[in-house]
Amino acid sequence: MDEHPTISLLSETIVHEPNMSATRVTVGLQFRNEGDACVAQMGFPTLRMPGPGYHQVRDFSVAADGQPIEARQAEEVQPLQLGDHERSCLWHLFEVPFAAGQDRALRVCYDEAREHYMWGSLAVPYVLQTGATWRGDVRDISLEVRLGERRNYHRVVLAEREVNLDSSGPPADAVLHTEFDGGTMRWSITDYDGSPGLVWLAAEMG
């Protein structure tokens, strides 16, 4: 994908509220148009994870400056190169008008829901890479995992690729550095240029 000529993504704030049956994902996106008035064609990718026990995206919604925007799901799954792997993504498509020099705040919400969760493990992927297609680097990205009172998660990690929480643990080179504050796990990066392309939340119940 080509870089947009005038619109920059200044910041991206992602919040996961994990649950074994449905994880709520809320994303705040701060955009700036540094050119003339235009209508930006936007797409928000979610990783396709077919098969029993895997997540499906439900109740996808988007708003700009608090006003709902109509979004549609692309009819076909599209391949997306994430690092060394090609993954299948579902694209949620919408249009956002910008005045000349305008800043706009977008809010995306959806549930990563799964019908079968008896295995006691949780996996929630989030595609970051496409944020780098806007003009320049993304200045700030932060991700919070709000565990709250869910103390039954005894292993929780954020990784830059798909990992399994088996007895040997995830590879050290895949795990992202995080900080804990009470029941919240945090990860952040500045001047994001497209790497890591994916952030993978993995959790296991005790």
Side-chain angles (χ1 to χ4, degrees):
M1 288 175 286
D2 296 331
E3 184 179 278
H4 196 282
T6 66
I7 296 178
S8 301
L9 176 56
L10 303 180
S11 65
E12 181 171 1
T13 303
I14 308 127
V15 176
H16 289 334
E17 297 175 87
N19 188 288
M20 284 296 165
S21 60
T23 294
R24 186 65 171 170
V25 180
T26 304
V27 185
L29 302 160
Q30 187 70 37
F31 287 96
R32 173 171 295 164
N33 178 25
E34 300 178 8
D36 296 334
C38 64
V39 176
Q41 310 291 323
M42 294 194 178
F44 190 99
T46 54
L47 208 62
R48 178 67 180 269
M49 299 175 62
Y54 285 105
H55 294 256
Q56 304 296 330
V57 171
R58 296 178 182 168
D59 299 328
F60 184 93
S61 67
V62 58
D65 299 319
Q67 298 301 310
I69 291 178
E70 183 178 354
R72 63 181 179 85
Q73 184 174 292
E75 294 182 0
E76 297 183 359
V77 174
Q78 299 291 329
L80 183 63
Q81 191 71 30
L82 294 172
D84 296 331
H85 302 282
E86 185 177 89
R87 305 299 296 262
S88 295
C89 285
L90 288 171
W91 286 85
H92 308 267
L93 308 174
F94 48 94
E95 297 181 347
V96 181
F98 283 84
Q102 185 182 20
D103 286 3
R104 302 213 67 177
L106 268 65
R107 180 182 174 90
V108 173
C109 300
Y110 61 92
D111 288 329
E112 285 268 0
R114 60 191 297 187
E115 297 179 0
H116 308 286
Y117 50 95
M118 71 288 290
W119 299 329
S121 61
L122 182 69
V124 181
Y126 184 84
V127 177
L128 270 182
Q129 181 175 291
T130 54
T133 62
W134 299 101
R135 185 174 184 269
D137 295 344
V138 187
R139 295 180 189 173
D140 296 290
I141 295 179
S142 64
L143 191 154
E144 290 187 359
V145 181
R146 296 179 181 174
L147 300 171
E149 298 301 319
R150 302 181 181 93
R151 304 301 184 185
N152 53 339
Y153 293 121
H154 78 285
R155 300 180 73 184
V156 183
V157 299
L158 289 174
E160 62 181 43
R161 61 178 184 267
E162 183 175 357
V163 296
N164 293 315
L165 297 181
D166 54 23
S167 58
S168 61
D173 63 346
V175 176
L176 298 171
H177 174 72
T178 57
E179 297 180 352
F180 273 92
D181 179 11
T184 301
M185 170 190 276
R186 291 187 174 90
W187 170 79
S188 63
I189 187 171
T190 57
D191 297 328
Y192 175 74
D193 61 1
S195 180
L198 178 74
V199 174
W200 191 276
L201 167 63
E204 196 172 73
M205 291 182 67

